[in-house]
Short mmCIF file of all heavy atoms in Angstrom, two decimals:
data_model
loop_
_atom_site.label_atom_id
_atom_site.label_comp_id
_atom_site.label_asym_id
_atom_site.label_seq_id
_atom_site.Cartn_x
_atom_site.Cartn_y
_atom_site.Cartn_z
N MET A 1 2.30 -7.43 -8.31
CA MET A 1 1.86 -8.83 -8.33
C MET A 1 2.42 -9.56 -7.11
O MET A 1 3.61 -9.46 -6.83
CB MET A 1 2.32 -9.50 -9.62
CG MET A 1 1.72 -10.89 -9.80
SD MET A 1 2.13 -11.60 -11.40
CE MET A 1 1.04 -10.67 -12.47
N PRO A 2 1.57 -10.28 -6.37
CA PRO A 2 2.09 -11.01 -5.22
C PRO A 2 3.05 -12.13 -5.62
O PRO A 2 2.96 -12.66 -6.73
CB PRO A 2 0.83 -11.60 -4.55
CG PRO A 2 -0.27 -11.43 -5.51
CD PRO A 2 0.14 -10.44 -6.54
N GLN A 3 3.96 -12.45 -4.74
CA GLN A 3 4.97 -13.46 -5.03
C GLN A 3 5.13 -14.41 -3.85
O GLN A 3 4.98 -14.01 -2.70
CB GLN A 3 6.34 -12.80 -5.28
CG GLN A 3 6.44 -12.05 -6.57
CD GLN A 3 7.83 -11.45 -6.74
OE1 GLN A 3 8.37 -10.84 -5.84
NE2 GLN A 3 8.41 -11.65 -7.90
N TRP A 4 5.47 -15.65 -4.16
CA TRP A 4 5.92 -16.58 -3.14
C TRP A 4 7.41 -16.39 -2.93
O TRP A 4 8.18 -16.39 -3.90
CB TRP A 4 5.63 -18.03 -3.55
CG TRP A 4 4.19 -18.39 -3.54
CD1 TRP A 4 3.41 -18.72 -4.61
CD2 TRP A 4 3.33 -18.46 -2.39
NE1 TRP A 4 2.12 -18.99 -4.20
CE2 TRP A 4 2.04 -18.84 -2.85
CE3 TRP A 4 3.51 -18.24 -1.03
CZ2 TRP A 4 0.97 -19.00 -1.98
CZ3 TRP A 4 2.43 -18.39 -0.17
CH2 TRP A 4 1.19 -18.77 -0.65
N MET A 5 7.80 -16.26 -1.67
CA MET A 5 9.20 -16.01 -1.36
C MET A 5 9.77 -17.19 -0.57
O MET A 5 9.06 -17.88 0.17
CB MET A 5 9.33 -14.74 -0.50
CG MET A 5 8.68 -13.51 -1.07
SD MET A 5 9.41 -12.94 -2.61
CE MET A 5 11.05 -12.43 -2.03
N LEU A 6 11.09 -17.39 -0.73
CA LEU A 6 11.81 -18.36 0.08
C LEU A 6 12.98 -17.65 0.75
O LEU A 6 13.53 -16.69 0.20
CB LEU A 6 12.32 -19.52 -0.78
CG LEU A 6 11.26 -20.51 -1.25
CD1 LEU A 6 11.82 -21.40 -2.33
CD2 LEU A 6 10.72 -21.34 -0.10
N ASN A 7 13.35 -18.13 1.93
CA ASN A 7 14.42 -17.51 2.68
C ASN A 7 15.65 -18.41 2.65
O ASN A 7 15.63 -19.54 3.11
CB ASN A 7 13.95 -17.28 4.13
CG ASN A 7 14.88 -16.34 4.87
OD1 ASN A 7 15.24 -15.28 4.36
ND2 ASN A 7 15.26 -16.74 6.06
N CYS A 8 16.74 -17.90 2.09
CA CYS A 8 17.97 -18.68 1.98
C CYS A 8 18.58 -18.90 3.36
O CYS A 8 18.82 -17.94 4.09
CB CYS A 8 18.95 -17.94 1.08
SG CYS A 8 20.59 -18.72 1.03
N PRO A 9 18.83 -20.17 3.74
CA PRO A 9 19.43 -20.42 5.06
C PRO A 9 20.90 -20.03 5.12
O PRO A 9 21.46 -19.92 6.20
CB PRO A 9 19.25 -21.93 5.24
CG PRO A 9 19.15 -22.48 3.86
CD PRO A 9 18.54 -21.39 3.00
N ASN A 10 21.52 -19.82 3.98
CA ASN A 10 22.95 -19.48 3.96
C ASN A 10 23.17 -17.99 4.17
O ASN A 10 23.93 -17.58 5.03
CB ASN A 10 23.55 -19.93 2.63
CG ASN A 10 25.05 -19.73 2.59
OD1 ASN A 10 25.76 -20.19 3.49
ND2 ASN A 10 25.53 -19.05 1.57
N CYS A 11 22.49 -17.15 3.38
CA CYS A 11 22.72 -15.71 3.47
C CYS A 11 21.55 -14.96 4.10
O CYS A 11 21.61 -13.75 4.26
CB CYS A 11 23.04 -15.13 2.09
SG CYS A 11 21.66 -15.17 0.92
N GLN A 12 20.48 -15.69 4.43
CA GLN A 12 19.32 -15.11 5.11
C GLN A 12 18.59 -14.08 4.25
O GLN A 12 17.88 -13.22 4.76
CB GLN A 12 19.70 -14.46 6.46
CG GLN A 12 20.58 -15.32 7.35
CD GLN A 12 19.91 -16.59 7.82
OE1 GLN A 12 18.71 -16.60 8.08
NE2 GLN A 12 20.65 -17.68 7.86
N GLN A 13 18.79 -14.15 2.95
CA GLN A 13 18.10 -13.23 2.05
C GLN A 13 16.87 -13.92 1.45
O GLN A 13 16.93 -15.10 1.12
CB GLN A 13 19.02 -12.81 0.90
CG GLN A 13 20.22 -12.01 1.34
CD GLN A 13 19.92 -10.55 1.53
OE1 GLN A 13 19.15 -9.95 0.79
NE2 GLN A 13 20.53 -9.98 2.56
N GLU A 14 15.82 -13.15 1.32
CA GLU A 14 14.64 -13.69 0.66
C GLU A 14 14.79 -13.56 -0.85
O GLU A 14 15.37 -12.59 -1.34
CB GLU A 14 13.39 -12.91 1.10
CG GLU A 14 12.76 -13.44 2.36
CD GLU A 14 11.37 -12.88 2.54
OE1 GLU A 14 11.15 -11.71 2.19
OE2 GLU A 14 10.50 -13.61 3.01
N PHE A 15 14.29 -14.55 -1.57
CA PHE A 15 14.25 -14.44 -3.03
C PHE A 15 12.93 -15.01 -3.52
O PHE A 15 12.32 -15.85 -2.87
CB PHE A 15 15.46 -15.14 -3.67
CG PHE A 15 15.51 -16.63 -3.45
CD1 PHE A 15 14.91 -17.50 -4.34
CD2 PHE A 15 16.16 -17.14 -2.34
CE1 PHE A 15 14.98 -18.87 -4.13
CE2 PHE A 15 16.23 -18.51 -2.11
CZ PHE A 15 15.63 -19.37 -3.02
N PRO A 16 12.47 -14.54 -4.67
CA PRO A 16 11.16 -14.98 -5.16
C PRO A 16 11.19 -16.39 -5.72
O PRO A 16 12.09 -16.74 -6.48
CB PRO A 16 10.81 -13.95 -6.23
CG PRO A 16 12.12 -13.39 -6.68
CD PRO A 16 13.06 -13.49 -5.51
N HIS A 17 10.22 -17.20 -5.33
CA HIS A 17 10.05 -18.54 -5.89
C HIS A 17 9.21 -18.45 -7.15
O HIS A 17 9.55 -19.02 -8.18
CB HIS A 17 9.39 -19.47 -4.87
CG HIS A 17 8.85 -20.74 -5.47
ND1 HIS A 17 7.56 -20.85 -5.92
CD2 HIS A 17 9.44 -21.94 -5.69
CE1 HIS A 17 7.39 -22.07 -6.40
NE2 HIS A 17 8.50 -22.76 -6.28
N SER A 18 8.10 -17.74 -7.08
CA SER A 18 7.22 -17.62 -8.23
C SER A 18 6.26 -16.47 -8.01
O SER A 18 6.00 -16.05 -6.88
CB SER A 18 6.45 -18.92 -8.46
OG SER A 18 5.70 -19.23 -7.31
N GLU A 19 5.75 -15.97 -9.12
CA GLU A 19 4.72 -14.95 -9.03
C GLU A 19 3.36 -15.63 -8.98
O GLU A 19 3.19 -16.74 -9.48
CB GLU A 19 4.78 -14.01 -10.23
CG GLU A 19 6.01 -13.13 -10.22
CD GLU A 19 5.92 -12.04 -11.27
OE1 GLU A 19 5.19 -12.22 -12.25
OE2 GLU A 19 6.58 -11.01 -11.09
N ILE A 20 2.42 -14.97 -8.37
CA ILE A 20 1.08 -15.55 -8.24
C ILE A 20 0.17 -14.93 -9.29
O ILE A 20 -0.04 -13.72 -9.29
CB ILE A 20 0.53 -15.29 -6.83
CG1 ILE A 20 1.46 -15.93 -5.80
CG2 ILE A 20 -0.88 -15.84 -6.70
CD1 ILE A 20 1.23 -15.45 -4.40
N PRO A 21 -0.32 -15.76 -10.21
CA PRO A 21 -1.21 -15.22 -11.23
C PRO A 21 -2.49 -14.66 -10.62
O PRO A 21 -2.96 -15.17 -9.61
CB PRO A 21 -1.53 -16.42 -12.13
CG PRO A 21 -0.73 -17.56 -11.62
CD PRO A 21 -0.14 -17.19 -10.30
N LYS A 22 -3.00 -13.63 -11.25
CA LYS A 22 -4.18 -12.96 -10.72
C LYS A 22 -5.35 -13.91 -10.54
O LYS A 22 -6.11 -13.80 -9.60
CB LYS A 22 -4.59 -11.83 -11.66
CG LYS A 22 -3.97 -10.50 -11.30
CD LYS A 22 -4.77 -9.36 -11.91
CE LYS A 22 -3.95 -8.07 -11.87
NZ LYS A 22 -3.53 -7.64 -13.19
N GLU A 23 -5.49 -14.88 -11.47
CA GLU A 23 -6.66 -15.76 -11.38
C GLU A 23 -6.60 -16.69 -10.17
O GLU A 23 -7.59 -17.26 -9.78
CB GLU A 23 -6.83 -16.57 -12.67
CG GLU A 23 -5.63 -17.44 -13.03
CD GLU A 23 -4.67 -16.72 -13.97
OE1 GLU A 23 -4.70 -15.48 -13.99
OE2 GLU A 23 -3.90 -17.39 -14.66
N LYS A 24 -5.39 -16.83 -9.59
CA LYS A 24 -5.27 -17.67 -8.39
C LYS A 24 -5.62 -16.90 -7.13
O LYS A 24 -5.86 -17.48 -6.08
CB LYS A 24 -3.84 -18.21 -8.28
CG LYS A 24 -3.52 -19.24 -9.33
CD LYS A 24 -3.16 -20.57 -8.70
CE LYS A 24 -3.02 -21.63 -9.75
NZ LYS A 24 -1.92 -22.54 -9.50
N ALA A 25 -5.59 -15.61 -7.21
CA ALA A 25 -5.92 -14.79 -6.05
C ALA A 25 -7.41 -14.49 -6.07
O ALA A 25 -7.88 -13.69 -6.85
CB ALA A 25 -5.11 -13.50 -6.08
N SER A 26 -8.12 -15.15 -5.21
CA SER A 26 -9.57 -14.95 -5.19
C SER A 26 -9.93 -14.05 -4.01
O SER A 26 -9.30 -14.11 -2.97
CB SER A 26 -10.29 -16.29 -5.09
OG SER A 26 -10.06 -16.87 -3.83
N PRO A 27 -10.91 -13.22 -4.19
CA PRO A 27 -11.25 -12.24 -3.15
C PRO A 27 -12.06 -12.85 -2.01
O PRO A 27 -13.14 -12.40 -1.71
CB PRO A 27 -12.06 -11.20 -3.92
CG PRO A 27 -12.70 -11.98 -5.01
CD PRO A 27 -11.76 -13.12 -5.35
N LEU A 28 -11.54 -13.87 -1.37
CA LEU A 28 -12.30 -14.55 -0.32
C LEU A 28 -11.84 -14.10 1.06
O LEU A 28 -12.30 -13.10 1.57
CB LEU A 28 -12.15 -16.07 -0.48
CG LEU A 28 -12.86 -16.68 -1.69
CD1 LEU A 28 -12.53 -18.17 -1.78
CD2 LEU A 28 -14.36 -16.49 -1.58
N SER A 29 -10.94 -14.86 1.63
CA SER A 29 -10.52 -14.53 2.99
C SER A 29 -9.03 -14.72 3.11
O SER A 29 -8.32 -14.80 2.11
CB SER A 29 -11.26 -15.44 3.98
OG SER A 29 -11.00 -16.78 3.65
N GLY A 30 -8.55 -14.81 4.31
CA GLY A 30 -7.12 -14.97 4.51
C GLY A 30 -6.52 -13.68 5.02
O GLY A 30 -7.12 -12.62 4.92
N PRO A 31 -5.30 -13.79 5.54
CA PRO A 31 -4.68 -12.63 6.20
C PRO A 31 -4.42 -11.47 5.27
O PRO A 31 -4.28 -10.35 5.72
CB PRO A 31 -3.37 -13.21 6.75
CG PRO A 31 -3.13 -14.45 5.95
CD PRO A 31 -4.48 -14.98 5.58
N PHE A 32 -4.36 -11.70 3.99
CA PHE A 32 -4.06 -10.61 3.07
C PHE A 32 -5.27 -10.24 2.22
O PHE A 32 -5.16 -9.55 1.22
CB PHE A 32 -2.89 -10.97 2.16
CG PHE A 32 -1.64 -11.26 2.93
CD1 PHE A 32 -1.25 -12.56 3.18
CD2 PHE A 32 -0.87 -10.22 3.40
CE1 PHE A 32 -0.11 -12.82 3.91
CE2 PHE A 32 0.29 -10.48 4.12
CZ PHE A 32 0.67 -11.79 4.38
N GLY A 33 -6.43 -10.76 2.61
CA GLY A 33 -7.65 -10.39 1.90
C GLY A 33 -7.96 -11.30 0.75
O GLY A 33 -8.96 -11.15 0.08
N PHE A 34 -7.12 -12.27 0.48
CA PHE A 34 -7.43 -13.25 -0.55
C PHE A 34 -6.79 -14.58 -0.19
O PHE A 34 -5.89 -14.65 0.65
CB PHE A 34 -6.99 -12.78 -1.94
CG PHE A 34 -5.59 -12.27 -1.99
CD1 PHE A 34 -4.53 -13.13 -2.18
CD2 PHE A 34 -5.33 -10.91 -1.86
CE1 PHE A 34 -3.25 -12.65 -2.23
CE2 PHE A 34 -4.03 -10.44 -1.91
CZ PHE A 34 -3.00 -11.30 -2.10
N LEU A 35 -7.29 -15.60 -0.79
CA LEU A 35 -6.87 -16.96 -0.45
C LEU A 35 -6.10 -17.54 -1.62
O LEU A 35 -6.60 -17.57 -2.74
CB LEU A 35 -8.13 -17.78 -0.17
CG LEU A 35 -7.94 -19.13 0.52
CD1 LEU A 35 -7.42 -18.96 1.93
CD2 LEU A 35 -9.28 -19.83 0.58
N ILE A 36 -4.90 -18.00 -1.36
CA ILE A 36 -4.06 -18.52 -2.44
C ILE A 36 -3.51 -19.88 -2.04
O ILE A 36 -3.02 -20.05 -0.93
CB ILE A 36 -2.88 -17.56 -2.73
CG1 ILE A 36 -3.42 -16.20 -3.13
CG2 ILE A 36 -2.00 -18.12 -3.83
CD1 ILE A 36 -2.36 -15.13 -3.12
N GLU A 37 -3.62 -20.82 -2.95
CA GLU A 37 -3.06 -22.13 -2.70
C GLU A 37 -1.57 -22.12 -3.00
O GLU A 37 -1.15 -21.62 -4.05
CB GLU A 37 -3.77 -23.18 -3.56
CG GLU A 37 -3.55 -24.59 -3.06
CD GLU A 37 -4.36 -25.60 -3.85
OE1 GLU A 37 -5.43 -25.23 -4.36
OE2 GLU A 37 -3.90 -26.75 -3.97
N LYS A 38 -0.80 -22.71 -2.10
CA LYS A 38 0.64 -22.74 -2.33
C LYS A 38 0.97 -23.66 -3.50
O LYS A 38 0.31 -24.66 -3.72
CB LYS A 38 1.35 -23.27 -1.08
CG LYS A 38 1.36 -22.27 0.06
CD LYS A 38 2.23 -22.76 1.19
CE LYS A 38 2.27 -21.69 2.28
NZ LYS A 38 3.23 -22.05 3.33
N PRO A 39 2.02 -23.32 -4.26
CA PRO A 39 2.44 -24.21 -5.35
C PRO A 39 2.93 -25.54 -4.81
O PRO A 39 3.42 -25.62 -3.68
CB PRO A 39 3.58 -23.45 -6.02
CG PRO A 39 3.96 -22.36 -5.09
CD PRO A 39 2.83 -22.12 -4.16
N LEU A 40 2.80 -26.57 -5.60
CA LEU A 40 3.21 -27.91 -5.19
C LEU A 40 4.73 -28.04 -5.27
O LEU A 40 5.35 -27.56 -6.21
CB LEU A 40 2.55 -28.97 -6.06
CG LEU A 40 1.05 -29.14 -5.88
CD1 LEU A 40 0.51 -30.09 -6.93
CD2 LEU A 40 0.72 -29.64 -4.48
N PHE A 41 5.31 -28.70 -4.28
CA PHE A 41 6.73 -29.00 -4.27
C PHE A 41 6.89 -30.50 -4.45
O PHE A 41 6.03 -31.27 -4.05
CB PHE A 41 7.35 -28.57 -2.93
CG PHE A 41 7.80 -27.14 -2.91
CD1 PHE A 41 7.14 -26.17 -3.63
CD2 PHE A 41 8.89 -26.76 -2.15
CE1 PHE A 41 7.55 -24.85 -3.59
CE2 PHE A 41 9.31 -25.44 -2.10
CZ PHE A 41 8.64 -24.49 -2.83
N PRO A 42 8.01 -30.94 -5.00
CA PRO A 42 8.27 -32.39 -5.08
C PRO A 42 8.39 -32.98 -3.68
O PRO A 42 8.78 -32.27 -2.75
CB PRO A 42 9.61 -32.49 -5.81
CG PRO A 42 9.92 -31.13 -6.31
CD PRO A 42 9.10 -30.15 -5.54
N GLU A 43 8.08 -34.26 -3.56
CA GLU A 43 8.25 -34.92 -2.28
C GLU A 43 9.73 -34.89 -1.90
O GLU A 43 10.60 -35.19 -2.72
CB GLU A 43 7.75 -36.37 -2.38
CG GLU A 43 7.29 -36.92 -1.05
CD GLU A 43 6.57 -38.24 -1.21
OE1 GLU A 43 5.85 -38.39 -2.22
OE2 GLU A 43 6.73 -39.10 -0.35
N GLY A 44 10.01 -34.52 -0.68
CA GLY A 44 11.40 -34.42 -0.25
C GLY A 44 11.97 -33.02 -0.42
O GLY A 44 13.06 -32.74 0.06
N GLY A 45 11.24 -32.15 -1.12
CA GLY A 45 11.67 -30.77 -1.22
C GLY A 45 12.12 -30.39 -2.62
O GLY A 45 12.28 -31.23 -3.50
N LEU A 46 12.29 -29.11 -2.79
CA LEU A 46 12.66 -28.55 -4.09
C LEU A 46 14.04 -27.92 -3.96
O LEU A 46 14.27 -27.05 -3.13
CB LEU A 46 11.63 -27.48 -4.50
CG LEU A 46 11.88 -26.75 -5.80
CD1 LEU A 46 11.73 -27.68 -7.00
CD2 LEU A 46 10.91 -25.58 -5.93
N LYS A 47 14.97 -28.37 -4.81
CA LYS A 47 16.32 -27.83 -4.75
C LYS A 47 16.42 -26.58 -5.62
O LYS A 47 16.10 -26.62 -6.81
CB LYS A 47 17.33 -28.88 -5.22
CG LYS A 47 18.76 -28.49 -4.90
CD LYS A 47 19.73 -29.61 -5.21
CE LYS A 47 21.13 -29.24 -4.73
NZ LYS A 47 22.14 -30.22 -5.17
N LEU A 48 16.83 -25.50 -5.00
CA LEU A 48 16.95 -24.24 -5.71
C LEU A 48 18.27 -23.57 -5.35
O LEU A 48 18.78 -23.73 -4.25
CB LEU A 48 15.81 -23.29 -5.31
CG LEU A 48 14.42 -23.58 -5.87
CD1 LEU A 48 13.42 -22.60 -5.28
CD2 LEU A 48 14.42 -23.45 -7.38
N GLU A 49 18.77 -22.79 -6.32
CA GLU A 49 19.98 -22.03 -6.08
C GLU A 49 19.61 -20.61 -5.70
O GLU A 49 18.81 -19.96 -6.38
CB GLU A 49 20.83 -22.04 -7.36
CG GLU A 49 22.26 -21.58 -7.14
CD GLU A 49 23.08 -21.73 -8.41
OE1 GLU A 49 23.38 -22.90 -8.77
OE2 GLU A 49 23.38 -20.72 -9.05
N CYS A 50 20.16 -20.15 -4.62
CA CYS A 50 19.88 -18.80 -4.17
C CYS A 50 20.48 -17.79 -5.16
O CYS A 50 21.66 -17.87 -5.49
CB CYS A 50 20.49 -18.59 -2.78
SG CYS A 50 20.47 -16.88 -2.23
N PRO A 51 19.68 -16.83 -5.64
CA PRO A 51 20.21 -15.85 -6.59
C PRO A 51 21.14 -14.83 -5.94
O PRO A 51 21.84 -14.10 -6.63
CB PRO A 51 18.95 -15.16 -7.13
CG PRO A 51 17.90 -15.38 -6.09
CD PRO A 51 18.25 -16.67 -5.38
N ASN A 52 21.15 -14.79 -4.63
CA ASN A 52 21.99 -13.81 -3.93
C ASN A 52 23.39 -14.36 -3.67
O ASN A 52 24.39 -13.70 -3.94
CB ASN A 52 21.33 -13.41 -2.61
CG ASN A 52 19.97 -12.79 -2.83
OD1 ASN A 52 19.83 -11.79 -3.52
ND2 ASN A 52 18.95 -13.38 -2.24
N CYS A 53 23.48 -15.59 -3.13
CA CYS A 53 24.79 -16.12 -2.76
C CYS A 53 25.18 -17.34 -3.59
O CYS A 53 26.31 -17.80 -3.51
CB CYS A 53 24.82 -16.47 -1.27
SG CYS A 53 23.77 -17.86 -0.82
N GLY A 54 24.24 -17.90 -4.38
CA GLY A 54 24.57 -19.01 -5.25
C GLY A 54 24.56 -20.36 -4.57
O GLY A 54 24.87 -21.37 -5.18
N GLU A 55 24.19 -20.39 -3.29
CA GLU A 55 24.17 -21.64 -2.53
C GLU A 55 22.90 -22.43 -2.87
O GLU A 55 21.81 -21.89 -2.89
CB GLU A 55 24.18 -21.31 -1.03
CG GLU A 55 24.24 -22.51 -0.13
CD GLU A 55 25.65 -23.06 0.06
OE1 GLU A 55 26.60 -22.43 -0.45
OE2 GLU A 55 25.79 -24.11 0.71
N SER A 56 23.05 -23.74 -3.16
CA SER A 56 21.91 -24.59 -3.43
C SER A 56 21.38 -25.18 -2.13
O SER A 56 22.15 -25.70 -1.33
CB SER A 56 22.29 -25.72 -4.38
OG SER A 56 22.49 -25.21 -5.67
N SER A 57 20.07 -25.07 -1.94
CA SER A 57 19.45 -25.63 -0.75
C SER A 57 18.15 -26.31 -1.16
O SER A 57 17.58 -26.01 -2.20
CB SER A 57 19.14 -24.54 0.29
OG SER A 57 20.30 -23.83 0.62
N VAL A 58 17.70 -27.23 -0.31
CA VAL A 58 16.43 -27.90 -0.54
C VAL A 58 15.37 -27.20 0.31
O VAL A 58 15.53 -27.04 1.51
CB VAL A 58 16.52 -29.39 -0.17
CG1 VAL A 58 15.15 -30.05 -0.32
CG2 VAL A 58 17.53 -30.08 -1.06
N TYR A 59 14.33 -26.75 -0.36
CA TYR A 59 13.27 -26.01 0.30
C TYR A 59 12.01 -26.86 0.38
O TYR A 59 11.72 -27.65 -0.51
CB TYR A 59 12.97 -24.71 -0.45
CG TYR A 59 14.15 -23.77 -0.45
CD1 TYR A 59 15.08 -23.81 -1.48
CD2 TYR A 59 14.35 -22.88 0.59
CE1 TYR A 59 16.18 -22.97 -1.48
CE2 TYR A 59 15.43 -22.04 0.60
CZ TYR A 59 16.35 -22.08 -0.44
OH TYR A 59 17.44 -21.25 -0.43
N LYS A 60 11.26 -26.64 1.45
CA LYS A 60 9.99 -27.33 1.64
C LYS A 60 8.85 -26.37 1.39
O LYS A 60 9.00 -25.16 1.52
CB LYS A 60 9.90 -27.90 3.06
CG LYS A 60 11.00 -28.90 3.40
CD LYS A 60 10.81 -30.18 2.61
CE LYS A 60 11.95 -31.16 2.83
NZ LYS A 60 12.07 -31.64 4.19
N ARG A 61 7.71 -26.98 1.07
CA ARG A 61 6.55 -26.17 0.70
C ARG A 61 6.13 -25.21 1.82
O ARG A 61 5.73 -24.09 1.56
CB ARG A 61 5.41 -27.12 0.37
CG ARG A 61 4.28 -26.48 -0.40
CD ARG A 61 3.19 -27.51 -0.65
NE ARG A 61 2.11 -26.95 -1.44
CZ ARG A 61 0.84 -27.35 -1.31
NH1 ARG A 61 0.54 -28.30 -0.46
NH2 ARG A 61 -0.09 -26.79 -2.06
N TYR A 62 6.25 -25.69 3.06
CA TYR A 62 5.81 -24.85 4.18
C TYR A 62 6.70 -23.63 4.37
O TYR A 62 6.35 -22.72 5.10
CB TYR A 62 5.70 -25.68 5.46
CG TYR A 62 7.02 -26.18 6.01
CD1 TYR A 62 7.86 -25.34 6.74
CD2 TYR A 62 7.41 -27.50 5.80
CE1 TYR A 62 9.06 -25.78 7.23
CE2 TYR A 62 8.62 -27.96 6.29
CZ TYR A 62 9.44 -27.12 7.00
OH TYR A 62 10.65 -27.56 7.48
N GLU A 63 7.88 -23.61 3.73
CA GLU A 63 8.77 -22.49 3.88
C GLU A 63 8.40 -21.31 2.99
O GLU A 63 9.00 -20.24 3.10
CB GLU A 63 10.21 -22.93 3.58
CG GLU A 63 10.75 -23.93 4.58
CD GLU A 63 12.17 -24.34 4.26
OE1 GLU A 63 12.34 -25.24 3.41
OE2 GLU A 63 13.10 -23.77 4.84
N LEU A 64 7.45 -21.51 2.11
CA LEU A 64 7.02 -20.41 1.25
C LEU A 64 6.32 -19.35 2.09
O LEU A 64 5.49 -19.64 2.93
CB LEU A 64 6.02 -20.93 0.21
CG LEU A 64 6.57 -21.76 -0.94
CD1 LEU A 64 5.43 -22.41 -1.69
CD2 LEU A 64 7.38 -20.89 -1.88
N THR A 65 6.69 -18.11 1.82
CA THR A 65 5.97 -17.00 2.44
C THR A 65 5.44 -16.10 1.35
O THR A 65 5.97 -16.04 0.24
CB THR A 65 6.88 -16.19 3.39
OG1 THR A 65 8.01 -15.74 2.66
CG2 THR A 65 7.34 -17.05 4.56
N LEU A 66 4.40 -15.39 1.68
CA LEU A 66 3.71 -14.56 0.71
C LEU A 66 4.17 -13.12 0.80
O LEU A 66 4.27 -12.56 1.90
CB LEU A 66 2.21 -14.66 0.98
CG LEU A 66 1.25 -14.12 -0.06
CD1 LEU A 66 1.43 -14.86 -1.37
CD2 LEU A 66 -0.17 -14.29 0.45
N ARG A 67 4.49 -12.54 -0.31
CA ARG A 67 4.79 -11.11 -0.36
C ARG A 67 3.79 -10.43 -1.28
O ARG A 67 3.59 -10.87 -2.41
CB ARG A 67 6.21 -10.86 -0.85
CG ARG A 67 6.51 -9.38 -1.01
CD ARG A 67 7.88 -9.16 -1.55
NE ARG A 67 8.90 -9.36 -0.53
CZ ARG A 67 10.20 -9.18 -0.75
NH1 ARG A 67 10.62 -8.80 -1.92
NH2 ARG A 67 11.07 -9.37 0.22
N THR A 68 3.20 -9.39 -0.81
CA THR A 68 2.11 -8.78 -1.57
C THR A 68 2.40 -7.35 -2.00
O THR A 68 1.52 -6.67 -2.49
CB THR A 68 0.81 -8.77 -0.74
OG1 THR A 68 1.08 -8.12 0.49
CG2 THR A 68 0.31 -10.17 -0.47
N ASP A 69 3.63 -6.88 -1.86
CA ASP A 69 3.88 -5.47 -2.19
C ASP A 69 4.00 -5.21 -3.67
O ASP A 69 4.00 -6.03 -4.52
CB ASP A 69 5.14 -4.97 -1.51
CG ASP A 69 6.35 -5.80 -1.82
OD1 ASP A 69 6.23 -6.73 -2.65
OD2 ASP A 69 7.42 -5.56 -1.24
ZN1 ZN B 101 21.66 -17.11 -0.27
#
């Protein structure tokens, strides 16, 4: 299942933000063969704790990257 990933600025490790439900992945276009809308973030960013190092950081929507493996 594809996942949205975020990159921790403290330890430089990627961790999953959310999984992408199959119904959101439509067989249209895009670099990975389907088009997916990014999840909405609160204005000003989303505060999350890194599961690797425990550091809390504020993430922006544009920082989401797609992992499809
Ligand atoms: Zn971290």
Side-chain angles (χ1 to χ4, degrees):
M1 188 174 285
Q3 289 181 313
W4 289 115
M5 306 295 294
L6 287 167
N7 194 48
C8 173
N10 186 53
C11 67
Q12 312 296 324
Q13 295 277 323
E14 274 195 324
F15 63 91
H17 165 269
S18 58
E19 291 190 337
I20 300 165
K22 268 201 195 110
E23 58 267 22
K24 289 240 173 140
S26 68
L28 289 175
S29 57
F32 300 100
F34 49 86
L35 194 66
I36 300 167
E37 197 175 332
K38 287 188 177 186
L40 291 173
F41 273 33
E43 206 169 324
L46 178 68
K47 193 173 186 187
L48 285 176
E49 194 175 288
C50 170
N52 300 302
C53 68
E55 184 83 5
S56 288
S57 304
V58 176
Y59 296 92
K60 300 291 175 63
R61 197 181 182 211
Y62 67 79
E63 294 180 277
L64 286 168
T65 56
L66 192 61
R67 176 183 284 182
T68 55
D69 55 5

